[in-house]
Each structure stands twice: as structure tokens, then as C-alpha cells.
Amino acid sequence: MGFLTNRKALVVGVASNRSIAWGVAKAMHEQGAEIALTYQTEKLKARVEQCSQACGGGPVMPLDVTDDAQIEAVFKELESTWGHLDILVHAVGFAPREELEGSFVDNTTRGGYAMAHDISAYSFLALARGARPLMQGRNASLLTLTYLGGERALPNYNVMGPAKASLEASVRYMANDLGPEGIRVNAVSAGPIRTLAASGIGDFRKMLDYNAASAPMRRNVDIDEVGNASAFLCSELASGITGEVVHVDGGFHAVALSSSMLDSQ
Ligand code: NAD
């Protein structure tokens, strides 16, 4: 028996079998959870349905997180099919591609800033509000995906940095609000992984190489490692953890200067 047996999980953010959300859905399913998935656009529907079949064939629903009516419809559907919800995973992020390169000061527009924060940060709160009534009395768990660019400045990540900082602050405020109801709220800060969203970030290939060379583990992480940590955080094994940002990045966040950088001088 897995440590998520009989748990019901909604995983938002599968776009392909490279998506971090897919790594999370697979890991949770392996631990016994039933999985519901959503797709952002009709173009992604068939691919997400295939992923759903590969992890038990649970509910699959349309969801653009900027649309409150769609958010409401997702939780109505889950209420009628499952009756309750134990886990919500938010693995969604977006900023206009032209704002993810060059100067943060020059290239960030008012509209791009608002959009990045709406889709990448506010949506976690909006989904939590929908999930909350279905999570009462279930020791439920909310989880989001973030990146080190929310804590430190780095090239090209630009407007996504403030959006992730906002998301991480939201994790703490949500944990404080929902803790009395037994609902825990955490984030996984993943190291760089080649996905559709990541391909929009300028010089991403170089970032991957730099991370692999300088992380204590001297390699990058994959979606299965992020998935396993996420499954743990949403399980009773992590019953004392809330308001936390857990780094799954081979230790990259922990070092200021890697010995590999000195060796190469
Ligand atoms: P991905 O492209 O596979 O997933 C991004 C998802 O966001 C897609 O499923 C897309 O459909 C969804 N999305 C975007 N706008 C949406 C909207 N309006 N409504 C509904 N869904 C929307 O890429 P990924 O790298 O797996 O990204 C998942 C999360 O992980 C993001 O929050 C990302 O910032 C975070 N993350 C990624 C990395 C990385 O290097 N890939 C590292 C750390 C954190």
C-alpha cells in the first residue's frame, strides 16, 4: 500500500509528459492516489487525456486559471464525482516570452507584470478558495511549484522572479489561514528542468549547464524527483510541515560558490 492510498488529488498544470505536474501526478498515483487532471486549452486536451489514462483514468476537465467560472466548474465537477478532495497541486506559470530576456527594468511592462502575477501567483489562491469546502476534515494539502528566481535575482527570469516571490509569500499566508482547518500549504522549489514553460526563458540551456556544474550533487534534477518530494509533502508523512518552501534542486540553492567554479579557473 502506498502512502497516498485512498487520497484524491487534483493536479493542475499538465501540458506534456515533460511537465513537472506530470511527474507529480505519476508519483502520487504510484503511492495510491486517484488523480484528476485539467487542460488549459482544447489543443492540449488529447495529450492530457493520454496522461490521465496512464495514471488511472480519473476526471479530466478544462481549466484556464484566469477564468473564475472555469475554476468554479472544476470544483463543482469534483464535488459531484468524488464528494471531497485531499490534495491540490498547482504547477502553473506564465509570463510573456518577450519579457523573459534582456533587462528586467527595461523589458517589464505593466500588462506583463500583472499577467505574470495573475497566472503564476494569484491563481494558487483562487484554486485554494475553490478547493477549501471540499477539504474540510480531511487533513488535506495544497502544493505549488516555485523557483529560486523568487528568492534571488538571475538573468532572464525577470518578471517571473517577483511573481514567484509573491507565490511563496502567499504559501505562508495561506498556511496561516488554513492551518486551523487542518489544511497544509507548501511549495517545492525545483531546479531547472527542460519543459515547455522553461523553453520560454532566454539562455535556458546555459542555465541548465551552470546548475549541473555548480550544484553540490553535480547534476540537474528530473520531474520524478520533484514528483516524489511533492507526494511526500502532500502525505501524512509530512503532517507537521506547512508554510514551507522545499528545494529540490540538487542543493544548488545552498551554495554561494561551487568548488567546481574554482577548479575551472
Ligand atoms: P509546463 O509548460 O509543462 O507547465 C506549465 C503549465 O502551466 C502548463 O500546463 C500550462 O498549460 C499551464 N498554464 C499556463 N497558463 C495557464 C492558464 N492561464 N490556465 C491554466 N494553466 C495554465 O512547464 P513546467 O516547467 O512543468 O511548469 C510548471 C511549474 O513549475 C510552473 O509554475 C513553473 O514556473 C515551475 N517551475 C519550473 C521549473 C523548470 O525549470 N521547468 C523550475 C522551477 C519551477
Side-chain angles (χ1 to χ4, degrees):
M1 270 210 338
F3 57 70
L4 290 176
T5 299
N6 294 328
R7 303 298 269 174
K8 292 186 169 35
L10 169 64
V11 179
V12 178
V14 175
S16 77
N17 59 9
R18 293 183 160 215
S19 293
I20 292 177
W22 175 232
V24 177
K26 269 191 307 177
M28 289 187 169
H29 181 61
E30 276 162 25
Q31 292 303 329
E34 281 180 65
I35 309 292
L37 299 178
T38 65
Y39 55 90
Q40 182 194 353
T41 60
E42 284 300 309
K43 219 174 109 188
L44 295 174
K45 183 178 179 186
R47 231 188 283 164
V48 174
E49 280 175 344
Q50 266 178 12
C51 289
S52 169
Q53 285 311 315
C55 65
V60 178
M61 298 156 285
L63 177 61
D64 182 323
V65 296
T66 61
D67 183 341
D68 287 330
Q70 283 192 33
I71 293 177
E72 201 181 319
V74 161
F75 293 106
K76 267 218 172 98
E77 169 78 24
L78 289 179
E79 186 176 15
S80 66
T81 52
W82 281 350
H84 59 262
L85 185 66
D86 301 298
I87 295 168
L88 166 69
V89 178
H90 170 271
V92 171
F94 181 81
R97 181 179 276 262
E98 58 279 12
E99 304 202 9
L100 295 174
E101 59 187 5
S103 163
F104 169 62
V105 173
D106 290 338
N107 292 357
T108 306
T109 65
R110 192 183 293 271
Y113 193 94
M115 185 186 284
H117 282 71
D118 184 18
I119 296 177
S120 313
Y122 177 76
S123 64
F124 186 39
L125 184 56
L127 290 177
R129 199 178 296 128
R132 185 180 194 171
L134 300 182
M135 292 185 148
Q136 297 303 306
R138 301 207 53 86
N139 290 339
S141 206
L142 308 177
L143 184 93
T144 188
L145 268 299
T146 186
Y147 179 58
L148 189 62
E151 299 169 63
R152 308 209 201 137
L154 60 142
N156 300 323
Y157 201 60
N158 291 3
V159 68
M160 281 303 293
K164 290 301 194 191
S166 166
L167 178 66
E168 291 175 24
S170 300
V171 165
R172 293 182 280 273
Y173 277 84
M174 289 160 69
N176 197 31
D177 254 20
L178 299 175
E181 296 165 29
I183 302 173
R184 295 181 299 107
V185 188
N186 292 294
V188 165
S189 184
I193 298 174
R194 189 185 291 280
T195 62
L196 285 174
S199 69
I201 301 164
D203 289 328
F204 188 72
R205 171 82 250 169
K206 288 185 189 163
M207 269 173 71
L208 276 176
D209 292 346
Y210 182 82
N211 275 259
S214 43
M217 295 183 74
R218 298 290 191 274
R219 64 170 178 81
N220 287 313
V221 296
D222 63 28
I223 61 169
D224 296 325
E225 291 175 303
V226 176
N228 286 333
S230 303
F232 156 73
L233 278 172
C234 292
S235 78
E236 281 306 285
L237 296 176
S239 58
I241 303 176
T242 194
E244 188 63 278
V245 178
V246 174
H247 295 83
V248 181
D249 64 353
F252 182 85
H253 72 283
V255 294
L257 178 62
S258 166
S259 47
S260 71
M261 293 296 123
L262 293 182
D263 293 345
S264 66
Q265 294 308 300

